[in-house]
Amino acid sequence: MSFKQTYQTITESEVFKNFIKEHPDAELCTGFFIIDFFSNDNKESLDYKSGEKIFTFSLRDDKSIKFEEDKLMQTEKNPHPSLEKISPHIKADLEDIRATAQIQALDNGINSKFSKIIAVLQKPAKDDKQIWNLTCMLDGLIILHILIDPETGDVIKFERKSMMDMIKRK
């Protein structure tokens, strides 16, 4: 699994080509991936924004593409959610960020096994650069939140949390 392969497979598909004909203004705004270390329940999808709608292209196990349309989720506090255009041209791909997350965990004294990584390639705000936003679930109810620069592979943020801490706050 890699972002580049997913992007290529989706953008070369007939489903995508037909979509772009109907929505030439559509912009890639999110890459969403789940790396499952145990049950192999991996997910690969790309989101495109056109107007007030989001279009999701999910790559299935058989490499067919599931296409879905949705509306932007708006709230009273955030009537215009920020989903900025991202570039598909990155240097740090999924295997790179997976290795970086595991090395960072070890460097921070965390020896627990990874069970799942949720990786989102996004641009969180208009003036920020795009990032890999990782939520890593490990044995022992450990959760890691890691931000990685997709151009350099450098760690921008590393934070350790516990599922128990999150339960206590509720």
Side-chain angles (χ1 to χ4, degrees), residues 44-75:
E44 303 172 66
S45 67
L46 300 178
D47 292 338
Y48 283 79
K49 181 174 86 166
S50 178
E52 294 300 309
K53 294 184 180 178
I54 294 292
F55 300 89
T56 301
F57 296 85
S58 301
L59 199 55
R60 295 181 174 144
D61 291 337
D62 65 359
K63 298 302 177 201
S64 65
I65 296 170
K66 180 180 178 184
F67 173 70
E68 296 176 291
E69 178 182 330
D70 204 355
K71 291 184 180 176
L72 284 173
M73 294 193 56
Q74 299 180 0
T75 64

PDB file of all heavy atoms in Angstrom, residues 44-75:
ATOM      1  N   GLU A  44      -7.864   2.434   1.828  1.00  0.00           N
ATOM      2  CA  GLU A  44      -7.160   3.389   0.983  1.00  0.00           C
ATOM      3  C   GLU A  44      -8.212   4.222   0.268  1.00  0.00           C
ATOM      4  O   GLU A  44      -9.018   3.682  -0.484  1.00  0.00           O
ATOM      5  CB  GLU A  44      -6.324   2.666  -0.074  1.00  0.00           C
ATOM      6  CG  GLU A  44      -5.321   1.681   0.469  1.00  0.00           C
ATOM      7  CD  GLU A  44      -4.673   0.866  -0.643  1.00  0.00           C
ATOM      8  OE1 GLU A  44      -3.940   1.466  -1.461  1.00  0.00           O
ATOM      9  OE2 GLU A  44      -4.909  -0.348  -0.697  1.00  0.00           O
ATOM     10  N   SER A  45      -8.208   5.528   0.502  1.00  0.00           N
ATOM     11  CA  SER A  45      -9.174   6.369  -0.198  1.00  0.00           C
ATOM     12  C   SER A  45      -8.636   7.779  -0.392  1.00  0.00           C
ATOM     13  O   SER A  45      -7.768   8.249   0.346  1.00  0.00           O
ATOM     14  CB  SER A  45     -10.518   6.408   0.542  1.00  0.00           C
ATOM     15  OG  SER A  45     -10.402   7.067   1.770  1.00  0.00           O
ATOM     16  N   LEU A  46      -9.175   8.425  -1.429  1.00  0.00           N
ATOM     17  CA  LEU A  46      -8.852   9.811  -1.737  1.00  0.00           C
ATOM     18  C   LEU A  46     -10.150  10.595  -1.792  1.00  0.00           C
ATOM     19  O   LEU A  46     -11.152  10.107  -2.334  1.00  0.00           O
ATOM     20  CB  LEU A  46      -8.148   9.925  -3.089  1.00  0.00           C
ATOM     21  CG  LEU A  46      -6.835   9.176  -3.256  1.00  0.00           C
ATOM     22  CD1 LEU A  46      -6.307   9.357  -4.680  1.00  0.00           C
ATOM     23  CD2 LEU A  46      -5.803   9.632  -2.247  1.00  0.00           C
ATOM     24  N   ASP A  47     -10.123  11.801  -1.240  1.00  0.00           N
ATOM     25  CA  ASP A  47     -11.288  12.675  -1.267  1.00  0.00           C
ATOM     26  C   ASP A  47     -11.011  13.857  -2.190  1.00  0.00           C
ATOM     27  O   ASP A  47      -9.931  14.447  -2.138  1.00  0.00           O
ATOM     28  CB  ASP A  47     -11.616  13.213   0.130  1.00  0.00           C
ATOM     29  CG  ASP A  47     -12.105  12.145   1.077  1.00  0.00           C
ATOM     30  OD1 ASP A  47     -12.589  11.101   0.603  1.00  0.00           O
ATOM     31  OD2 ASP A  47     -12.001  12.356   2.296  1.00  0.00           O
ATOM     32  N   TYR A  48     -12.013  14.183  -2.986  1.00  0.00           N
ATOM     33  CA  TYR A  48     -11.965  15.342  -3.863  1.00  0.00           C
ATOM     34  C   TYR A  48     -13.102  16.269  -3.489  1.00  0.00           C
ATOM     35  O   TYR A  48     -14.204  15.809  -3.210  1.00  0.00           O
ATOM     36  CB  TYR A  48     -12.089  14.926  -5.334  1.00  0.00           C
ATOM     37  CG  TYR A  48     -10.811  14.352  -5.877  1.00  0.00           C
ATOM     38  CD1 TYR A  48     -10.437  13.043  -5.604  1.00  0.00           C
ATOM     39  CD2 TYR A  48      -9.956  15.135  -6.645  1.00  0.00           C
ATOM     40  CE1 TYR A  48      -9.252  12.521  -6.080  1.00  0.00           C
ATOM     41  CE2 TYR A  48      -8.766  14.620  -7.128  1.00  0.00           C
ATOM     42  CZ  TYR A  48      -8.419  13.314  -6.846  1.00  0.00           C
ATOM     43  OH  TYR A  48      -7.241  12.812  -7.315  1.00  0.00           O
ATOM     44  N   LYS A  49     -12.819  17.560  -3.496  1.00  0.00           N
ATOM     45  CA  LYS A  49     -13.828  18.566  -3.180  1.00  0.00           C
ATOM     46  C   LYS A  49     -14.202  19.312  -4.448  1.00  0.00           C
ATOM     47  O   LYS A  49     -13.332  19.721  -5.223  1.00  0.00           O
ATOM     48  CB  LYS A  49     -13.281  19.543  -2.139  1.00  0.00           C
ATOM     49  CG  LYS A  49     -14.266  20.623  -1.730  1.00  0.00           C
ATOM     50  CD  LYS A  49     -13.722  21.466  -0.607  1.00  0.00           C
ATOM     51  CE  LYS A  49     -12.885  22.583  -1.150  1.00  0.00           C
ATOM     52  NZ  LYS A  49     -12.577  23.634  -0.184  1.00  0.00           N
ATOM     53  N   SER A  50     -15.507  19.446  -4.641  1.00  0.00           N
ATOM     54  CA  SER A  50     -16.019  20.238  -5.746  1.00  0.00           C
ATOM     55  C   SER A  50     -17.213  21.012  -5.214  1.00  0.00           C
ATOM     56  O   SER A  50     -18.229  20.421  -4.842  1.00  0.00           O
ATOM     57  CB  SER A  50     -16.447  19.344  -6.910  1.00  0.00           C
ATOM     58  OG  SER A  50     -16.991  20.112  -7.956  1.00  0.00           O
ATOM     59  N   GLY A  51     -17.077  22.326  -5.116  1.00  0.00           N
ATOM     60  CA  GLY A  51     -18.137  23.135  -4.531  1.00  0.00           C
ATOM     61  C   GLY A  51     -18.342  22.759  -3.074  1.00  0.00           C
ATOM     62  O   GLY A  51     -17.395  22.725  -2.294  1.00  0.00           O
ATOM     63  N   GLU A  52     -19.565  22.440  -2.715  1.00  0.00           N
ATOM     64  CA  GLU A  52     -19.893  22.066  -1.335  1.00  0.00           C
ATOM     65  C   GLU A  52     -20.009  20.548  -1.166  1.00  0.00           C
ATOM     66  O   GLU A  52     -20.580  20.075  -0.195  1.00  0.00           O
ATOM     67  CB  GLU A  52     -21.211  22.731  -0.913  1.00  0.00           C
ATOM     68  CG  GLU A  52     -21.121  24.244  -0.828  1.00  0.00           C
ATOM     69  CD  GLU A  52     -20.082  24.715   0.180  1.00  0.00           C
ATOM     70  OE1 GLU A  52     -20.106  24.245   1.331  1.00  0.00           O
ATOM     71  OE2 GLU A  52     -19.233  25.548  -0.198  1.00  0.00           O
ATOM     72  N   LYS A  53     -19.479  19.815  -2.118  1.00  0.00           N
ATOM     73  CA  LYS A  53     -19.575  18.355  -2.057  1.00  0.00           C
ATOM     74  C   LYS A  53     -18.198  17.718  -1.981  1.00  0.00           C
ATOM     75  O   LYS A  53     -17.210  18.259  -2.485  1.00  0.00           O
ATOM     76  CB  LYS A  53     -20.318  17.810  -3.273  1.00  0.00           C
ATOM     77  CG  LYS A  53     -21.779  18.223  -3.300  1.00  0.00           C
ATOM     78  CD  LYS A  53     -22.492  17.595  -4.454  1.00  0.00           C
ATOM     79  CE  LYS A  53     -23.957  18.036  -4.446  1.00  0.00           C
ATOM     80  NZ  LYS A  53     -24.690  17.476  -5.577  1.00  0.00           N
ATOM     81  N   ILE A  54     -18.175  16.567  -1.353  1.00  0.00           N
ATOM     82  CA  ILE A  54     -16.977  15.742  -1.254  1.00  0.00           C
ATOM     83  C   ILE A  54     -17.247  14.449  -2.005  1.00  0.00           C
ATOM     84  O   ILE A  54     -18.316  13.854  -1.874  1.00  0.00           O
ATOM     85  CB  ILE A  54     -16.653  15.410   0.229  1.00  0.00           C
ATOM     86  CG1 ILE A  54     -16.269  16.681   0.978  1.00  0.00           C
ATOM     87  CG2 ILE A  54     -15.563  14.367   0.344  1.00  0.00           C
ATOM     88  CD1 ILE A  54     -14.968  17.297   0.543  1.00  0.00           C
ATOM     89  N   PHE A  55     -16.259  14.017  -2.754  1.00  0.00           N
ATOM     90  CA  PHE A  55     -16.364  12.768  -3.505  1.00  0.00           C
ATOM     91  C   PHE A  55     -15.228  11.858  -3.048  1.00  0.00           C
ATOM     92  O   PHE A  55     -14.068  12.262  -3.073  1.00  0.00           O
ATOM     93  CB  PHE A  55     -16.272  13.036  -5.005  1.00  0.00           C
ATOM     94  CG  PHE A  55     -17.360  13.942  -5.498  1.00  0.00           C
ATOM     95  CD1 PHE A  55     -17.197  15.321  -5.501  1.00  0.00           C
ATOM     96  CD2 PHE A  55     -18.558  13.415  -5.945  1.00  0.00           C
ATOM     97  CE1 PHE A  55     -18.204  16.163  -5.950  1.00  0.00           C
ATOM     98  CE2 PHE A  55     -19.577  14.250  -6.402  1.00  0.00           C
ATOM     99  CZ  PHE A  55     -19.400  15.622  -6.402  1.00  0.00           C
ATOM    100  N   THR A  56     -15.586  10.663  -2.608  1.00  0.00           N
ATOM    101  CA  THR A  56     -14.604   9.723  -2.079  1.00  0.00           C
ATOM    102  C   THR A  56     -14.426   8.573  -3.048  1.00  0.00           C
ATOM    103  O   THR A  56     -15.390   7.946  -3.479  1.00  0.00           O
ATOM    104  CB  THR A  56     -15.048   9.188  -0.704  1.00  0.00           C
ATOM    105  OG1 THR A  56     -15.191  10.302   0.188  1.00  0.00           O
ATOM    106  CG2 THR A  56     -14.033   8.217  -0.131  1.00  0.00           C
ATOM    107  N   PHE A  57     -13.163   8.300  -3.344  1.00  0.00           N
ATOM    108  CA  PHE A  57     -12.779   7.161  -4.175  1.00  0.00           C
ATOM    109  C   PHE A  57     -12.016   6.201  -3.276  1.00  0.00           C
ATOM    110  O   PHE A  57     -10.916   6.515  -2.830  1.00  0.00           O
ATOM    111  CB  PHE A  57     -11.882   7.605  -5.334  1.00  0.00           C
ATOM    112  CG  PHE A  57     -12.563   8.525  -6.294  1.00  0.00           C
ATOM    113  CD1 PHE A  57     -12.613   9.887  -6.050  1.00  0.00           C
ATOM    114  CD2 PHE A  57     -13.157   8.029  -7.436  1.00  0.00           C
ATOM    115  CE1 PHE A  57     -13.243  10.749  -6.931  1.00  0.00           C
ATOM    116  CE2 PHE A  57     -13.791   8.886  -8.328  1.00  0.00           C
ATOM    117  CZ  PHE A  57     -13.840  10.239  -8.077  1.00  0.00           C
ATOM    118  N   SER A  58     -12.614   5.046  -3.004  1.00  0.00           N
ATOM    119  CA  SER A  58     -11.984   4.049  -2.142  1.00  0.00           C
ATOM    120  C   SER A  58     -11.501   2.879  -2.986  1.00  0.00           C
ATOM    121  O   SER A  58     -12.233   2.378  -3.838  1.00  0.00           O
ATOM    122  CB  SER A  58     -12.970   3.531  -1.097  1.00  0.00           C
ATOM    123  OG  SER A  58     -13.435   4.594  -0.299  1.00  0.00           O
ATOM    124  N   LEU A  59     -10.285   2.454  -2.712  1.00  0.00           N
ATOM    125  CA  LEU A  59      -9.707   1.331  -3.427  1.00  0.00           C
ATOM    126  C   LEU A  59     -10.013   0.059  -2.658  1.00  0.00           C
ATOM    127  O   LEU A  59      -9.635  -0.080  -1.491  1.00  0.00           O
ATOM    128  CB  LEU A  59      -8.199   1.542  -3.563  1.00  0.00           C
ATOM    129  CG  LEU A  59      -7.447   0.760  -4.602  1.00  0.00           C
ATOM    130  CD1 LEU A  59      -8.054   0.944  -5.987  1.00  0.00           C
ATOM    131  CD2 LEU A  59      -5.995   1.187  -4.616  1.00  0.00           C
ATOM    132  N   ARG A  60     -10.723  -0.858  -3.291  1.00  0.00           N
ATOM    133  CA  ARG A  60     -11.087  -2.123  -2.650  1.00  0.00           C
ATOM    134  C   ARG A  60      -9.943  -3.124  -2.776  1.00  0.00           C
ATOM    135  O   ARG A  60      -8.993  -2.913  -3.535  1.00  0.00           O
ATOM    136  CB  ARG A  60     -12.346  -2.689  -3.299  1.00  0.00           C
ATOM    137  CG  ARG A  60     -13.561  -1.823  -3.085  1.00  0.00           C
ATOM    138  CD  ARG A  60     -14.768  -2.458  -3.736  1.00  0.00           C
ATOM    139  NE  ARG A  60     -15.975  -1.721  -3.421  1.00  0.00           N
ATOM    140  CZ  ARG A  60     -16.977  -1.559  -4.267  1.00  0.00           C
ATOM    141  NH1 ARG A  60     -16.936  -2.094  -5.476  1.00  0.00           N
ATOM    142  NH2 ARG A  60     -18.044  -0.878  -3.905  1.00  0.00           N
ATOM    143  N   ASP A  61     -10.064  -4.239  -2.042  1.00  0.00           N
ATOM    144  CA  ASP A  61      -9.031  -5.278  -2.070  1.00  0.00           C
ATOM    145  C   ASP A  61      -8.775  -5.811  -3.475  1.00  0.00           C
ATOM    146  O   ASP A  61      -7.645  -6.141  -3.825  1.00  0.00           O
ATOM    147  CB  ASP A  61      -9.404  -6.443  -1.145  1.00  0.00           C
ATOM    148  CG  ASP A  61      -9.336  -6.035   0.319  1.00  0.00           C
ATOM    149  OD1 ASP A  61      -8.619  -5.062   0.636  1.00  0.00           O
ATOM    150  OD2 ASP A  61      -9.995  -6.692   1.141  1.00  0.00           O
ATOM    151  N   ASP A  62      -9.825  -5.903  -4.285  1.00  0.00           N
ATOM    152  CA  ASP A  62      -9.672  -6.419  -5.651  1.00  0.00           C
ATOM    153  C   ASP A  62      -9.239  -5.323  -6.631  1.00  0.00           C
ATOM    154  O   ASP A  62      -9.257  -5.518  -7.835  1.00  0.00           O
ATOM    155  CB  ASP A  62     -10.960  -7.096  -6.126  1.00  0.00           C
ATOM    156  CG  ASP A  62     -12.130  -6.119  -6.255  1.00  0.00           C
ATOM    157  OD1 ASP A  62     -11.959  -4.906  -5.961  1.00  0.00           O
ATOM    158  OD2 ASP A  62     -13.222  -6.569  -6.646  1.00  0.00           O
ATOM    159  N   LYS A  63      -8.866  -4.160  -6.093  1.00  0.00           N
ATOM    160  CA  LYS A  63      -8.408  -2.984  -6.845  1.00  0.00           C
ATOM    161  C   LYS A  63      -9.519  -2.305  -7.641  1.00  0.00           C
ATOM    162  O   LYS A  63      -9.254  -1.426  -8.456  1.00  0.00           O
ATOM    163  CB  LYS A  63      -7.215  -3.315  -7.767  1.00  0.00           C
ATOM    164  CG  LYS A  63      -5.991  -3.798  -7.008  1.00  0.00           C
ATOM    165  CD  LYS A  63      -5.525  -2.774  -5.998  1.00  0.00           C
ATOM    166  CE  LYS A  63      -4.336  -3.303  -5.204  1.00  0.00           C
ATOM    167  NZ  LYS A  63      -4.157  -2.625  -3.945  1.00  0.00           N
ATOM    168  N   SER A  64     -10.768  -2.703  -7.410  1.00  0.00           N
ATOM    169  CA  SER A  64     -11.875  -1.948  -7.992  1.00  0.00           C
ATOM    170  C   SER A  64     -12.077  -0.697  -7.133  1.00  0.00           C
ATOM    171  O   SER A  64     -11.561  -0.600  -6.022  1.00  0.00           O
ATOM    172  CB  SER A  64     -13.150  -2.795  -8.043  1.00  0.00           C
ATOM    173  OG  SER A  64     -13.592  -3.099  -6.737  1.00  0.00           O
ATOM    174  N   ILE A  65     -12.828   0.248  -7.673  1.00  0.00           N
ATOM    175  CA  ILE A  65     -12.986   1.526  -6.994  1.00  0.00           C
ATOM    176  C   ILE A  65     -14.434   1.750  -6.600  1.00  0.00           C
ATOM    177  O   ILE A  65     -15.336   1.603  -7.418  1.00  0.00           O
ATOM    178  CB  ILE A  65     -12.495   2.673  -7.898  1.00  0.00           C
ATOM    179  CG1 ILE A  65     -10.992   2.499  -8.131  1.00  0.00           C
ATOM    180  CG2 ILE A  65     -12.804   4.035  -7.284  1.00  0.00           C
ATOM    181  CD1 ILE A  65     -10.424   3.388  -9.180  1.00  0.00           C
ATOM    182  N   LYS A  66     -14.617   2.098  -5.343  1.00  0.00           N
ATOM    183  CA  LYS A  66     -15.938   2.463  -4.837  1.00  0.00           C
ATOM    184  C   LYS A  66     -15.998   3.987  -4.832  1.00  0.00           C
ATOM    185  O   LYS A  66     -15.124   4.659  -4.286  1.00  0.00           O
ATOM    186  CB  LYS A  66     -16.131   1.911  -3.424  1.00  0.00           C
ATOM    187  CG  LYS A  66     -17.478   2.240  -2.820  1.00  0.00           C
ATOM    188  CD  LYS A  66     -17.592   1.656  -1.422  1.00  0.00           C
ATOM    189  CE  LYS A  66     -18.918   2.020  -0.791  1.00  0.00           C
ATOM    190  NZ  LYS A  66     -18.996   1.545   0.586  1.00  0.00           N
ATOM    191  N   PHE A  67     -17.040   4.532  -5.429  1.00  0.00           N
ATOM    192  CA  PHE A  67     -17.192   5.971  -5.569  1.00  0.00           C
ATOM    193  C   PHE A  67     -18.417   6.417  -4.776  1.00  0.00           C
ATOM    194  O   PHE A  67     -19.492   5.845  -4.912  1.00  0.00           O
ATOM    195  CB  PHE A  67     -17.371   6.305  -7.059  1.00  0.00           C
ATOM    196  CG  PHE A  67     -17.706   7.734  -7.334  1.00  0.00           C
ATOM    197  CD1 PHE A  67     -16.777   8.734  -7.153  1.00  0.00           C
ATOM    198  CD2 PHE A  67     -18.976   8.084  -7.796  1.00  0.00           C
ATOM    199  CE1 PHE A  67     -17.100  10.066  -7.432  1.00  0.00           C
ATOM    200  CE2 PHE A  67     -19.301   9.400  -8.075  1.00  0.00           C
ATOM    201  CZ  PHE A  67     -18.360  10.391  -7.884  1.00  0.00           C
ATOM    202  N   GLU A  68     -18.245   7.437  -3.917  1.00  0.00           N
ATOM    203  CA  GLU A  68     -19.351   7.944  -3.104  1.00  0.00           C
ATOM    204  C   GLU A  68     -19.357   9.472  -3.123  1.00  0.00           C
ATOM    205  O   GLU A  68     -18.302  10.098  -3.181  1.00  0.00           O
ATOM    206  CB  GLU A  68     -19.220   7.486  -1.651  1.00  0.00           C
ATOM    207  CG  GLU A  68     -19.305   5.988  -1.464  1.00  0.00           C
ATOM    208  CD  GLU A  68     -19.075   5.610  -0.019  1.00  0.00           C
ATOM    209  OE1 GLU A  68     -17.935   5.758   0.456  1.00  0.00           O
ATOM    210  OE2 GLU A  68     -20.048   5.179   0.613  1.00  0.00           O
ATOM    211  N   GLU A  69     -20.531  10.031  -3.026  1.00  0.00           N
ATOM    212  CA  GLU A  69     -20.693  11.479  -2.962  1.00  0.00           C
ATOM    213  C   GLU A  69     -21.246  11.845  -1.593  1.00  0.00           C
ATOM    214  O   GLU A  69     -22.093  11.146  -1.050  1.00  0.00           O
ATOM    215  CB  GLU A  69     -21.674  11.933  -4.045  1.00  0.00           C
ATOM    216  CG  GLU A  69     -21.950  13.412  -4.036  1.00  0.00           C
ATOM    217  CD  GLU A  69     -22.966  13.821  -5.085  1.00  0.00           C
ATOM    218  OE1 GLU A  69     -23.061  13.169  -6.137  1.00  0.00           O
ATOM    219  OE2 GLU A  69     -23.691  14.796  -4.816  1.00  0.00           O
ATOM    220  N   ASP A  70     -20.753  12.950  -1.042  1.00  0.00           N
ATOM    221  CA  ASP A  70     -21.227  13.411   0.251  1.00  0.00           C
ATOM    222  C   ASP A  70     -21.210  14.934   0.254  1.00  0.00           C
ATOM    223  O   ASP A  70     -20.625  15.554  -0.630  1.00  0.00           O
ATOM    224  CB  ASP A  70     -20.327  12.868   1.364  1.00  0.00           C
ATOM    225  CG  ASP A  70     -21.013  12.801   2.708  1.00  0.00           C
ATOM    226  OD1 ASP A  70     -22.169  13.268   2.818  1.00  0.00           O
ATOM    227  OD2 ASP A  70     -20.406  12.283   3.653  1.00  0.00           O
ATOM    228  N   LYS A  71     -21.823  15.522   1.252  1.00  0.00           N
ATOM    229  CA  LYS A  71     -21.784  16.978   1.412  1.00  0.00           C
ATOM    230  C   LYS A  71     -20.753  17.314   2.471  1.00  0.00           C
ATOM    231  O   LYS A  71     -20.480  16.518   3.367  1.00  0.00           O
ATOM    232  CB  LYS A  71     -23.158  17.506   1.830  1.00  0.00           C
ATOM    233  CG  LYS A  71     -24.176  17.398   0.736  1.00  0.00           C
ATOM    234  CD  LYS A  71     -25.490  18.020   1.148  1.00  0.00           C
ATOM    235  CE  LYS A  71     -26.479  17.893   0.012  1.00  0.00           C
ATOM    236  NZ  LYS A  71     -27.789  18.391   0.350  1.00  0.00           N
ATOM    237  N   LEU A  72     -20.204  18.527   2.382  1.00  0.00           N
ATOM    238  CA  LEU A  72     -19.287  18.991   3.416  1.00  0.00           C
ATOM    239  C   LEU A  72     -20.030  19.077   4.735  1.00  0.00           C
ATOM    240  O   LEU A  72     -21.155  19.578   4.787  1.00  0.00           O
ATOM    241  CB  LEU A  72     -18.723  20.364   3.066  1.00  0.00           C
ATOM    242  CG  LEU A  72     -17.645  20.401   1.999  1.00  0.00           C
ATOM    243  CD1 LEU A  72     -17.333  21.846   1.645  1.00  0.00           C
ATOM    244  CD2 LEU A  72     -16.399  19.708   2.471  1.00  0.00           C
ATOM    245  N   MET A  73     -19.410  18.567   5.784  1.00  0.00           N
ATOM    246  CA  MET A  73     -20.039  18.644   7.105  1.00  0.00           C
ATOM    247  C   MET A  73     -19.850  20.043   7.653  1.00  0.00           C
ATOM    248  O   MET A  73     -18.739  20.500   7.831  1.00  0.00           O
ATOM    249  CB  MET A  73     -19.429  17.604   8.045  1.00  0.00           C
ATOM    250  CG  MET A  73     -19.737  16.201   7.595  1.00  0.00           C
ATOM    251  SD  MET A  73     -19.380  14.958   8.819  1.00  0.00           S
ATOM    252  CE  MET A  73     -20.327  15.487  10.191  1.00  0.00           C
ATOM    253  N   GLN A  74     -20.952  20.714   7.878  1.00  0.00           N
ATOM    254  CA  GLN A  74     -20.906  22.066   8.396  1.00  0.00           C
ATOM    255  C   GLN A  74     -21.577  22.106   9.760  1.00  0.00           C
ATOM    256  O   GLN A  74     -22.540  21.394  10.018  1.00  0.00           O
ATOM    257  CB  GLN A  74     -21.616  23.014   7.436  1.00  0.00           C
ATOM    258  CG  GLN A  74     -20.959  23.042   6.075  1.00  0.00           C
ATOM    259  CD  GLN A  74     -21.655  23.985   5.114  1.00  0.00           C
ATOM    260  OE1 GLN A  74     -22.634  24.626   5.446  1.00  0.00           O
ATOM    261  NE2 GLN A  74     -21.128  24.066   3.915  1.00  0.00           N
ATOM    262  N   THR A  75     -21.034  22.943  10.615  1.00  0.00           N
ATOM    263  CA  THR A  75     -21.614  23.134  11.938  1.00  0.00           C
ATOM    264  C   THR A  75     -21.885  24.614  12.140  1.00  0.00           C
ATOM    265  O   THR A  75     -21.446  25.456  11.344  1.00  0.00           O
ATOM    266  CB  THR A  75     -20.654  22.639  13.048  1.00  0.00           C
ATOM    267  OG1 THR A  75     -19.481  23.453  13.018  1.00  0.00           O
ATOM    268  CG2 THR A  75     -20.280  21.175  12.853  1.00  0.00           C
TER     269      THR A  75
END
